[in-house]
Amino acid sequence: MISEHNLKDILNSLGFEARKGEVFEYTYPNNAQICVDFKHKKIAYSPLDHRFKEGDYPSNDDPSTGFIIHRNTTTNFSSNENFVCLVAVHKLLEKGYAPKHIILEPTFKVGHNQQVYGDILVLNQEFNPLVLIENKTYGNEFSKAWNATLKNGDQLFSYYAVHKIPYLCLLTFKDAHTADMRLISMQDNPEHLERLNRDCKQEDKKRGFSDPANTNAKSYFEVWSQTYSNAFTTKGIFEEDIQAYNIGKTKYSLEDLRAVSADQISSIYHEFATILRHHSIGNYENSFYILVDLFLCKVIDEIKNPNDLQFTYKGVISDNPFLYCDRLLNLYEMGIKELFNKQVINVKKSAIGDLFKEAQRYEGKFKEKLDDIFDQQKYFNIKKFNFIEVENSEEFYLNFKVLVQVAGLIADLHLSQSQNNQFLGDLFEGFLNRHIHQTEGRFFTPTPITNFIIHSLPPLPNHPKVLDFACGAGHFLTEFMARHKDAKVHGIEKNKDLSKVAKLACIFHNPKSQSQVIFQDALDFIAPRYAKSFELESFDCLLSNPPYSVKGFLSTLEPSALNPFSLKSGIDPKSYENNNSIECFFLERALHFLKKGGICALILPVSVLQKGGLYEKTRALLLEHFKLLCIVELNSRTFGSTGTQTIILFAQKAQKYSTDLLDALTKANFEENKLEKDFKQTEFLKEYCAFRGYPYADFKAFMTDKNLNPALERSFSEYFSDFESKEPKTFKKKLPTEGLKQEWFKASSFYAKDPKQEGKAQQNAYFKSKDYQDTLKAWQREQALEQMHALELEKMRLFALIQGEEVLILKSPPDKKSDNKNNKAKIVEFLGYDWSKRKGDEGIKYTSAQTEDLESEALGNVQSIKHIQTPLYNPQDPEDPTKLAYAFKSFMHAVRTNTPRPNLSPYRTQTPQVTNSLARP
């Protein structure tokens, strides 16, 4: 990154001459000059034309005579972006652009009396806009700005909406000679538009930039995104073979490439993951092998075409998706032949022309129609370089958008000149590890856990309506259908490929089932066409292993989509990009989907029960709207090497009225005898005191008038210890306002009644006195008592919410034995499976019964799960009373029907610990 610290080195590298007084100057052949004054921290551009104020632009009729600066904030050292601007202007002048065609911080009016400022606007020789350059510092700021541009157009498109410019450019400089650029052409390609809209209905046709229907930044962004697949180039302004006032580049050579540096390894890996995440692509194994194929194309391109590289996409004017895919297919064919001596079938359109010539046929409209059919068959059903499955034109262009972005990550790299040839190995290893994590259940729930949950469910209504709102490959749905033939299963999956897998799995399992799986984000509004089937508060059962710890998930949702979530109020919108508590929002989403009395079984990280902040609000929401039934504490091996400790939470959605008692008690000033007419329970306060170990009379007095007796103060010892500690967690000592301090002073003996006396001295004396300290301590104690009073009210509210509820808890074997030795054997015995990392045999391995009858079936891992050995459930007998699932089902059924609880003593003697207890706040 260029900063003031290294700016002198940068200027020396650019050829600036150092003058006396810490001044660096550069004079250009067109007599333009840049002067950098380190003493006064100023950057001067000359000549300047002061006639053009903010919002005024030159023209052929009124030409400028020098630089125009609409706002003078880029001519100082206050921001590192100003140094990027400095280098960019230097490069423009060095290229041959005249100062009179350069406007710094151009003004754009975006509304009534509102205006925004760009960084550099370059005009052509007729004083018309040519390119708008937005400068960013190298690294995170540039990446963040580009990701925002890909998402919604960001600053560049807001400027374009009010000031039409042929080219938009996002620019950064790492040093004097290393630039990173994203150049977007805002000009239409008529041939591409005609091809794109050839067979479309009028309402489905894609717009061009010149379409009068475009009225704002959003509409122009839609054109760039939907019509031109977010096309951009990384070169086209500063290269040696590009003349001034000619933007864009049509021919690339090895001279345009740069060696791969070590610091690019992690950034390429991160950007690749960001691209996949932005487009909701979860098939990392498939994506990895596409990347391998692209590297193959890149290497063979450098070898075979050093002076006319074919790998780079050249933008919407000089290129189009069909031509680019053709070049990649040709490179792939060439690479496989050259490096692996293997023939790849890659039929080219020229074969049709060759056939016409061979047959001596006239090439008229018939030939054109054949060419069109060829294009549709080859590209709209293309099977290579597919990040998503392509079966039609819409999916082709969606995939092309991803393809161009991924290929762009490596297009400028000179692989054979890399400074660190371990780059490929490091990058590939990272994605392979990602694939292994997926195999081990980072995204998919191990089938034994899925089956245990389903076997544990209490009896459900006939034709139950069931939902998995993060269904992945559909394991919960298919396994539920196996146990409940009449079920109506529904799935929501954000990843398109996985949503297809889930839907097909449901069809294969039961062709007559009314399964519905949709492709969207479950946290977002349900698309209108699915709203009836996925109606809120309509599901009898919700089973899911929702994602957790997904950084920035809130920033992917529209603000209106977050409105139904009460948890939103606990998060500052500024922290949306860093918040990763997605599991909390999925838990509240379960509340939205379930009908009253509906059952949910969710796999969640244990942090939901332990962390503070938003997780505390989540627990409060859970207690307020659900009746807790069962909790299973799973060990860290459950999901393989992810190492995350999880729980299974079984709960029933309920309408609770228990807090009405507390509200009435508070209103009655804690006089319980006043509640006898309205409530059967009149000893709530005594029960709470017994639970907390508080002296009843003293606690009642405290809640009534905040009078704290010594006995209760001893019970509050933990509170007061926190209050007196140097770093209190809850009871931080408050500081009085200046107004309150003045009140204390005027009430003190230090205050002089005679206004002629000096008051400042008396104030200073008072604030240093013991009287002030005593008053301050007494006031801070009062404030702490107010906090304690409020905290006890909240605890009583939670106590009221769960009073009388019973929760069955199952603890799986711990990771370590009491002697701190590995407890793997007991864990595998409990789960019924283990994870293999043996090369060629990675993944989950089930503990299966070994019988002669099973030998033919046991050859496959899929078959072995049908005979899995685990205390959790019996795959052959769902009613096996020796299994833990039966205990759970019996217990939950008894709680829901308010019938005698089952005898759980036989299960308590097993290795996993089973306990049932009253719920605790």
Side-chain angles (χ1 to χ4, degrees), residues 138 178-180 234-235 252-265 267-269 271 291 294-295 297-299 301-302 309 311-312 406-420 423-424 427:
Y138 186 83
T178 306
D180 202 352
T234 58
K235 289 179 171 54
Y252 294 76
S253 70
L254 291 181
E255 296 297 319
D256 295 306
L257 305 182
R258 64 177 186 266
V260 184
S261 60
D263 65 350
Q264 289 178 288
I265 296 174
S267 65
I268 291 176
Y269 179 88
E271 288 183 46
L291 190 61
L294 288 174
F295 269 113
C297 294
K298 183 75 173 68
V299 170
D301 193 34
E302 292 182 12
L309 298 174
F311 186 85
T312 301
V406 173
L409 295 177
I410 62 174
D412 293 338
L413 306 181
H414 195 172
L415 299 181
S416 60
Q417 296 296 317
S418 298
Q419 297 173 15
N420 183 359
F423 159 66
L424 295 179
L427 189 63

Side-chain angles (χ1 to χ4, degrees), residues 831-899:
L831 294 173
Y833 62 85
D834 194 13
W835 296 100
S836 171
K837 290 187 177 180
R838 189 175 60 185
K839 189 174 181 180
D841 193 32
E842 298 89 353
I844 193 169
K845 304 299 172 185
Y846 304 116
T847 305
S848 185
Q850 298 297 313
T851 64
E852 292 184 5
D853 295 337
L854 185 61
E855 282 185 1
S856 59
E857 289 186 316
L859 295 176
N861 205 32
V862 174
Q863 293 297 325
S864 67
I865 195 173
K866 297 179 181 179
H867 304 270
I868 191 172
Q869 291 184 317
T870 171
L872 294 174
Y873 71 102
N874 184 343
Q876 304 298 320
D877 181 10
E879 303 299 321
D880 186 342
T882 67
K883 300 300 182 180
L884 292 166
Y886 184 83
F888 271 53
K889 179 173 64 175
S890 302
F891 176 81
M892 283 189 274
H893 178 62
V895 170
R896 296 183 76 202
T897 58
N898 198 24
T899 55

Side-chain angles (χ1 to χ4, degrees), residues 466-504:
V466 182
L467 173 67
D468 181 352
F469 52 19
C471 67
H475 291 136
F476 270 117
L477 304 181
T478 56
E479 296 299 327
F480 192 90
M481 290 166 63
R483 291 272 294 122
H484 302 270
K485 306 295 184 183
D486 62 341
K488 301 174 183 177
V489 299
H490 298 68
I492 304 175
E493 174 51 48
K494 189 176 181 180
N495 178 275
K496 181 179 180 180
D497 293 326
L498 290 179
S499 67
K500 286 184 179 180
V501 172
K503 177 62 177 176
L504 289 173

Side-chain angles (χ1 to χ4, degrees), residues 508-541:
F508 293 159
H509 187 82
N510 182 359
K512 297 181 180 180
S513 73
Q514 298 180 11
S515 60
Q516 295 195 42
V517 179
I518 61 175
F519 161 48
Q520 76 154 76
D521 190 334
L523 298 181
D524 206 345
F525 290 116
I526 298 298
R529 61 185 180 276
Y530 306 129
K532 185 175 181 180
S533 298
F534 289 81
E535 185 180 2
L536 300 182
E537 298 188 285
S538 69
F539 290 92
D540 299 294
C541 184

